[in-house]
Amino acid sequence: MDKKLQSINLNKIPNHIAVIMDGNGRWAKNKGMQRVFGHRNALTAIRETADTASELGVKYLTMYAFSTENWNRPKFEVDALMSLLITTLKKELPEFQRKNVKINSIGDTQSLPKSAQKVLNKVIEETKNNTKITLSFALSYGSREEIVNTIKNISKKVVNKELDIEKIDQNIINNHLYTFNLPDVDLMIRTSGEQRISNFLLWQMAYAELYFTEILWPDFRKENLFDAIIDYQNRERRFGKTSEQIKTNE
Ligand code: FPP
């Protein structure tokens, strides 16, 4: 058995892991190839991360696949990412079913090409009763845009007198975010050595443990996920309490 796997405490597995898959372009460049080659080679890492997370008992995995800012990349790269999304979702659907994976998306998905929306909606609909793990893809996602959208939707309810302004609390906000059906993030992993959150799940990561690794995303494998989880398990999550309170479970 894998030595790293043995040192993981299966009773302390993060419930929700979020991943910023960074470094595809650099990975391709290092090999003298075009950036898109890196995106294509990202798929093995996505599959292995999802499979391993699921086997360990992680219930929610959220992957940053395309940010609102990514629309500013060269058209060639945006088109390539969209077709990669479409072909991957089509091809993987039987695997999602076999592995009992529920697919979800967060973001302004209305701005994706119609063909991408169609396959995405189909995969979400067909996997909606799966229960092993929820795999969410952040697509045309930006946390600030999400918060603006949330404020608009809550304001409309206030204006229409469906909601009393005094009733607005953290729960109401949670219920209007794209992540309304997801719990808070426990562990955020970012690859490629960059140490930023880059407009990802700002509200949802309020108490997340952040883990940064130099590995470029296409090279990320299950041992790297084990490392991140071991690191997470060695941290003390206090949620504002003292260390003593946490130890005595007060
Ligand atoms: C970051 O690397 C990666 C992205 C912006 C895109 C990630 C998307 C995928 C892996 C494919 C999406 C497909 C599915 C099925 C969800 P980068 O290009 O910013 O790398 P760099 O920082 O080295 O330039």
Side-chain angles (χ1 to χ4, degrees), residues 8-207:
I8 291 181
N9 177 355
L10 293 174
N11 298 317
K12 241 178 101 180
I13 295 293
N15 188 41
H16 185 178
I17 300 182
V19 185
I20 302 182
M21 311 182 272
D22 199 7
N24 297 347
R26 276 163 282 167
W27 184 89
K29 201 172 160 218
N30 291 345
K31 296 194 156 24
M33 303 294 282
Q34 287 204 15
R35 302 175 50 79
V36 170
F37 183 69
H39 298 317
R40 281 194 216 110
N41 280 279
L43 299 178
T44 310
I46 297 180
R47 214 176 285 119
E48 186 156 327
T49 303
D51 288 350
T52 309
S54 178
E55 281 158 23
L56 287 172
V58 173
K59 296 308 288 179
Y60 299 89
L61 178 65
T62 301
M63 322 283 285
Y64 208 175
F66 195 87
S67 72
T68 43
E69 290 75 22
N70 286 154
W71 290 114
N72 299 322
R73 291 196 174 192
K75 184 173 177 320
F76 170 75
E77 186 172 341
V78 171
D79 290 349
L81 280 167
M82 292 302 144
S83 37
L84 192 59
L85 174 69
I86 294 169
T87 49
T88 306
L89 288 176
K90 276 188 191 157
K91 191 166 153 249
E92 296 291 324
L93 178 57
E95 286 299 292
F96 295 144
Q97 300 296 36
R98 189 176 68 77
K99 295 174 187 164
N100 199 7
V101 178
K102 177 175 170 166
I103 299 297
N104 180 50
S105 71
I106 57 170
D108 176 23
T109 50
Q110 307 275 351
S111 64
L112 297 175
K114 285 278 171 302
S115 49
Q117 288 185 41
K118 202 171 145 206
V119 60
L120 182 64
N121 291 338
K122 176 179 149 80
V123 172
I124 290 173
E125 174 61 27
E126 294 198 9
T127 62
K128 70 175 183 209
N129 295 322
N130 292 348
T131 54
K132 183 86 177 81
I133 187 168
T134 299
L135 174 57
S136 301
F137 290 112
L139 293 161
S140 192
Y141 177 86
S143 199
R144 288 184 169 184
E145 188 278 324
E146 174 182 41
I147 291 169
V148 169
N149 182 59
T150 298
I151 292 172
K152 280 187 185 160
N153 288 333
I154 293 176
S155 305
K156 279 182 203 152
K157 290 192 180 167
V158 171
V159 169
N160 294 337
K161 303 208 177 331
E162 289 165 43
L163 180 63
D164 179 351
I165 202 160
E166 293 307 324
K167 291 253 159 67
I168 298 175
D169 61 7
Q170 297 189 19
N171 262 334
I172 298 269
I173 294 178
N174 272 326
N175 293 339
H176 287 80
L177 293 166
Y178 293 133
T179 53
F180 68 92
N181 50 359
L182 305 177
D184 274 1
V185 175
D186 298 298
L187 169 64
M188 192 285 290
I189 300 172
R190 183 174 190 151
T191 56
S192 92
E194 308 293 347
Q195 304 200 354
R196 287 189 291 278
I197 298 178
S198 297
N199 204 14
F200 192 40
L201 301 170
L202 302 180
W203 171 278
Q204 301 84 343
M205 281 207 251
Y207 286 102

